[in-house]
């Protein structure tokens, strides 16, 4: 039987991570919707006079800076995978056996690596300094999630170490 002392810690971290991933998905969805509604409109004209702007980017966001498009895109990916990983995590916490650990740990690790990637773009966006309050909130949540997701992975692996 698994170490039951780690189960409440893993449950708390899993619930916290799920709530934060859902918030990231909400803010990221807002940013993506705004980018689609207020992005570049390029009219295709027959002829060689069509020229794209010098700073054209297919991932253009009217708020933020040059890193915002990449940040929001990878934050949405991390949010979807992170929220989906909680399904496997809840299953593992419910059964709390060594048979359910590999799937929960592997999906949580994938979510953590995507969160780290999005956090890297968040750090770049912080360095470039032009962003609004919602983007700052999403940056903060991703930085916090990069730590709490790692602690969750350590908690479920720490319980496995006591099984031997």
């Amino acid at each position: 039987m698994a170490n039951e002392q780690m189960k409440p810690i893993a449950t708390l971290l899993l619930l916290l991570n799920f709530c934060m991933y859902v918030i990231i998905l909400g803010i990221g969805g807002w940013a993506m919707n705004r980018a689609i509604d207020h992005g570049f409109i390029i009219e295709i004209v027959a002829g060689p006079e069509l020229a794209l702007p010098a700073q054209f980017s297919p991932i253009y966001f009217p708020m933020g800076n040059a890193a915002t498009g990449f940040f929001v895109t990878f934050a949405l990916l991390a949010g979807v995978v992170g929220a989906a990983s909680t399904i496997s995590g809840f299953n593992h916490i419910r059964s709390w056996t060594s048979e359910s650990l590999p799937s929960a740990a592997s999906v949580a690790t994938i979510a953590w690596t995507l969160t780290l990637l999005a956090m890297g773009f968040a750090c770049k966006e912080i360095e470039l300094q032009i962003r609004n309050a919602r983007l700052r909130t999403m940056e903060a949540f991703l930085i916090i999630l990069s730590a709490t997701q790692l602690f969750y992975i350590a908690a479920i692996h720490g319980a496995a170490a006591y099984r031997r």
Side-chain angles (χ1 to χ4, degrees):
M1 191 68 185
N3 181 11
E4 294 290 327
Q5 293 174 344
M6 297 300 280
K7 191 173 181 178
I9 296 169
T11 304
L12 177 69
L13 287 170
L14 189 64
L15 289 173
L16 175 68
N17 290 349
F18 177 73
C19 292
M20 291 178 73
Y21 278 126
V22 168
I23 291 170
I24 285 175
L25 286 173
I27 297 171
W30 165 82
M32 188 64 73
N33 184 46
R34 182 158 168 144
I36 291 170
D37 289 345
H38 301 290
F40 281 131
I41 298 173
I42 300 174
E43 296 182 20
I44 299 177
V45 182
E49 64 271 357
L50 176 66
L52 295 175
Q55 298 296 324
F56 175 73
S57 172
I59 304 176
Y60 171 75
F61 282 72
M63 76 301 251
N65 52 43
T68 302
F70 298 104
F71 167 62
V72 171
T73 302
F74 284 102
L76 282 171
L77 284 172
V80 168
V81 174
S85 75
T86 60
I87 296 169
S88 180
F90 283 129
N91 183 40
H92 173 62
I93 287 175
R94 187 176 48 84
S95 64
W96 203 248
T97 61
S98 59
E99 289 82 23
S100 63
L101 175 66
S103 63
S106 62
V107 175
T109 303
I110 291 169
W112 178 63
T113 55
L114 285 172
T115 303
L116 286 179
L117 183 61
M119 187 198 71
F121 285 115
C123 291
K124 184 62 178 178
E125 189 175 44
I126 290 169
E127 180 185 330
L128 296 176
Q129 295 183 346
I130 303 170
R131 61 208 193 276
N132 65 16
R134 291 180 183 163
L135 293 175
R136 281 188 226 129
T137 303
M138 199 160 69
E139 292 162 2
F141 278 164
L142 278 167
I143 291 169
I144 294 167
L145 267 170
S146 65
T148 58
Q149 186 74 9
L150 180 63
F151 293 150
Y152 166 71
I153 294 168
I156 61 175
H157 275 88
Y162 287 110
R163 292 181 200 154
R164 295 184 180 129

